[in-house]
Amino acid sequence: MSLAPARVFAVLNAVRYPAQSSPMLGKAVVMGGSIAGLLAARALSDHAESVVVIDRDDLRVTGQRPGVPQGTQLHALLPGGFRQLERMFPGFREQALAQGAVEVPPAAQRNYLDGRLKVTVPDDAESLAGSRPLLEGLIRQQVLRLPNVKTVTARATGLVFDGAATTGVRYDVGGAPGVENADFVVDAMGRSSRLSDWLEQAGWQRPAMRRMTVHLNYATALFRRRVANPEHTVVLALNSPQLSSDVAGAAFFAIEDGRWMAMMAGYANHRPGHTAEDFVRRLREQFPPEFGEVAGGEMLGEVRTYHHADSRRRDFHALNRFPAGLVPVGDAVASFNPVYGQGITAAALHAACLSTYLRSGPESARPAREFLALQQVVVDAAWSMSTSADLALPHVNGPYPRGYRLSSWISRQIVAATVTDVTTARRFSDVVSMRAHPNTLARPRVILDALRANRHPR
């Protein structure tokens, strides 16, 4: 598929999953039961006779998974990801609400930038709010209900190759080795994936890895929600890097079981909210009044902290040699600064890439170049959004891409215009929620509209 990046995004965001399966593969194996792995299994279920998901955790058990150390932190389901989940699993919205997820229509959202309340986009897309265990658990339920999907509780230890093709996955169960034969293999083992090592050990090329050190420090706490149906269910307050605040931002979401989930973030040596006292004090003193109201409720449990050292991506698409019958998805390809909330939505778009690729009737004996090309567009978009914002942080020292000064100036103008101008805010929302490609913000008309809005704010 030779399309401009903006067109690729439009195609992926319009993917419709077939009502009936049409198997072209025998068995597909997914290494990793992460959200990315589960969504890949959903896409494969339309095109394989059977799909096996291998994970160290027993995926039949509900609740928080040991393999998701960041699962206690606040997670955003962007409108782009919500729309993808609705297409993969018809009725997802109603089932999520039945399990306690909270609706987030445009009017229920409030966004602050440097203490200024931003305009509401009245016709923006809605989303859902809920804890990571609730959202992931519902996705897992939907996938494991598929008749041709099963799970194996084991640790993937390597791949089996036959010439230029991937033919199986090696695994270990309590010290006993085994092999799951496969016609197609997906790596969804996350940031710690060993696929690069396995490729190199088998004589294949190792992909280059790019890193951007960010040293993000998260703190998340739960509070009892006094109002069953609050007017605002998602509130975010971000601080520009140019400000001297030691807090990058804070947010709180209404989630299941009558609770608020509040988050605070800082960078480098700043660890705001690492104690209950500091968390409550900062919410009351450093953020708009809504945050103080949340902090006035009963804190449930302790403050949970999480450190994200760096963003990283592995450039599988750039390899000259790559085995047939093998693709990586999710954080195994690229993981970004989580403060931008791209993870679940990027995973859903990777699944859309996989569905699009498989529906094209590819030759099984050839590497999945078409898939990697589609995925590259998604990864490039998410990477450019997150790293361009991270480069503005005082403690981040590059590498700076060509034209960074100009692109950074344009970005600041657009972000500033989102405070007062609905048109710019709508365009920006489409991009940050991954419904539109970032280069749509570089169009002359978009930039001129932002400049006019900043010159004559309403």
Side-chain angles (χ1 to χ4, degrees):
M1 180 180 292
S2 180
L3 296 173
R7 180 59 184 156
V8 170
F9 252 61
V11 168
L12 294 177
N13 275 290
V15 163
R16 299 283 181 179
Y17 291 83
Q20 291 185 332
S21 62
S22 53
M24 54 168 283
L25 301 168
K27 183 193 295 182
V29 176
V30 179
M31 301 184 294
S34 62
I35 288 180
L38 293 169
L39 297 183
R42 166 63 186 93
L44 287 164
S45 70
D46 293 326
H47 304 279
E49 293 176 0
S50 64
V51 181
V52 178
V53 181
I54 299 176
D55 194 272
R56 289 178 296 180
D57 296 333
D58 186 347
L59 298 179
R60 296 166 297 179
V61 176
T62 60
Q64 173 69 31
R65 285 200 302 121
V68 187
Q70 76 279 22
T72 58
Q73 304 299 311
L74 185 147
H75 281 69
L77 177 57
L78 302 177
F82 178 43
R83 182 162 60 183
Q84 290 283 344
L85 293 177
E86 270 287 299
R87 288 178 176 160
M88 289 184 192
F89 312 109
F92 182 88
R93 175 183 178 276
E94 287 73 19
Q95 294 180 50
L97 293 175
Q99 294 190 23
V102 179
E103 290 182 290
V104 188
Q109 303 178 46
R110 295 200 107 180
N111 288 274
Y112 291 87
L113 179 64
D114 297 333
R116 298 175 64 196
L117 179 62
K118 298 174 68 173
V119 294
T120 297
V121 180
D123 56 349
D124 203 0
E126 70 169 19
S127 188
L128 294 173
S131 69
R132 168 68 181 250
L134 183 145
L135 296 172
E136 182 176 348
L138 181 56
I139 292 170
R140 191 184 310 131
Q141 291 169 24
Q142 300 289 325
V143 172
L144 298 187
R145 284 181 188 146
L146 298 171
N148 59 340
V149 175
K150 74 169 188 176
T151 66
V152 172
T153 305
R155 180 174 62 90
T157 58
L159 297 175
V160 180
F161 298 102
D162 183 0
T166 311
T167 60
V169 174
R170 303 184 191 279
Y171 62 86
D172 180 277
V173 181
V179 173
E180 192 75 51
N181 296 324
D183 300 296
F184 196 85
V185 175
V186 174
D187 172 24
M189 294 186 293
R191 284 168 60 91
S192 60
S193 167
R194 296 191 59 207
L195 178 58
S196 298
D197 296 336
W198 297 343
L199 288 172
E200 188 174 47
Q201 291 164 8
W204 296 94
Q205 290 177 293
R206 183 187 189 90
M209 180 187 285
R210 288 187 253 174
R211 295 176 186 261
M212 177 167 286
T213 301
V214 293
H215 289 305
L216 170 70
N217 303 304
Y218 255 103
T220 295
L222 296 169
F223 294 86
R224 192 176 306 284
R225 180 155 39 95
R226 296 167 177 170
V227 179
N229 299 299
E231 180 182 2
H232 299 109
T233 53
V234 167
V235 180
L236 298 93
L238 300 179
N239 295 323
S240 299
Q242 292 76 19
L243 296 184
S244 58
S245 172
D246 59 349
V247 187
F252 64 83
F253 291 6
I255 66 168
E256 68 274 15
D257 300 327
R259 297 174 294 172
W260 292 113
M261 178 175 277
M263 176 275 291
M264 201 174 297
Y267 288 100
N269 296 323
H270 300 304
R271 298 178 180 272
H274 64 288
T275 67
E277 294 76 12
D278 186 55
F279 199 101
V280 170
R281 179 186 63 80
R282 289 178 182 273
L283 287 183
R284 287 175 169 166
E285 297 178 0
Q286 296 182 240
F287 294 96
E290 299 97 319
F291 288 83
E293 293 173 11
V294 168
E298 177 191 359
M299 182 180 285
L300 305 174
E302 59 186 5
V303 175
R304 302 293 185 95
T305 59
Y306 180 71
H307 178 73
H308 178 86
D310 59 14
S311 299
R312 60 182 67 173
R313 64 179 288 182
R314 299 174 174 97
D315 290 332
F316 290 96
H317 68 275
L319 295 176
N320 295 322
R321 295 175 58 248
F322 195 70
L326 176 66
V327 299
V329 297
D331 286 358
V333 181
S335 62
F336 316 100
N337 185 335
V339 78
Y340 308 116
Q342 298 168 315
I344 296 175
T345 302
L349 285 170
H350 289 194
C353 292
L354 186 55
S355 179
T356 302
Y357 166 71
L358 293 172
R359 280 187 285 110
S360 71
E363 295 181 31
S364 60
R366 294 177 57 247
R369 296 287 181 191
E370 296 84 356
F371 167 82
L372 293 175
L374 290 171
Q375 186 184 61
Q376 181 191 353
V377 174
V378 176
V379 171
D380 283 349
W383 183 261
S384 68
M385 283 190 285
S386 65
T387 58
S388 63
D390 290 339
L391 284 170
L393 299 170
H395 69 288
V396 176
N397 298 313
Y400 296 94
R402 181 180 301 176
Y404 171 73
R405 285 188 178 181
L406 177 60
S407 63
S408 177
W409 179 83
I410 292 173
S411 177
R412 290 196 301 272
Q413 296 302 313
I414 290 173
V415 170
T418 64
V419 176
T420 60
D421 184 60
V422 172
T423 299
T424 303
R426 181 184 295 110
R427 292 165 174 163
F428 187 73
S429 177
D430 284 343
V431 168
V432 298
S433 67
M434 304 188 76
R435 291 171 287 166
H437 194 274
N439 66 14
T440 60
L441 294 178
R443 294 169 180 168
R445 179 180 175 182
V446 175
I447 299 171
L448 287 174
D449 286 347
L451 292 174
R452 289 193 193 99
N454 290 335
R455 182 172 295 181
H456 304 289
R458 296 176 184 177

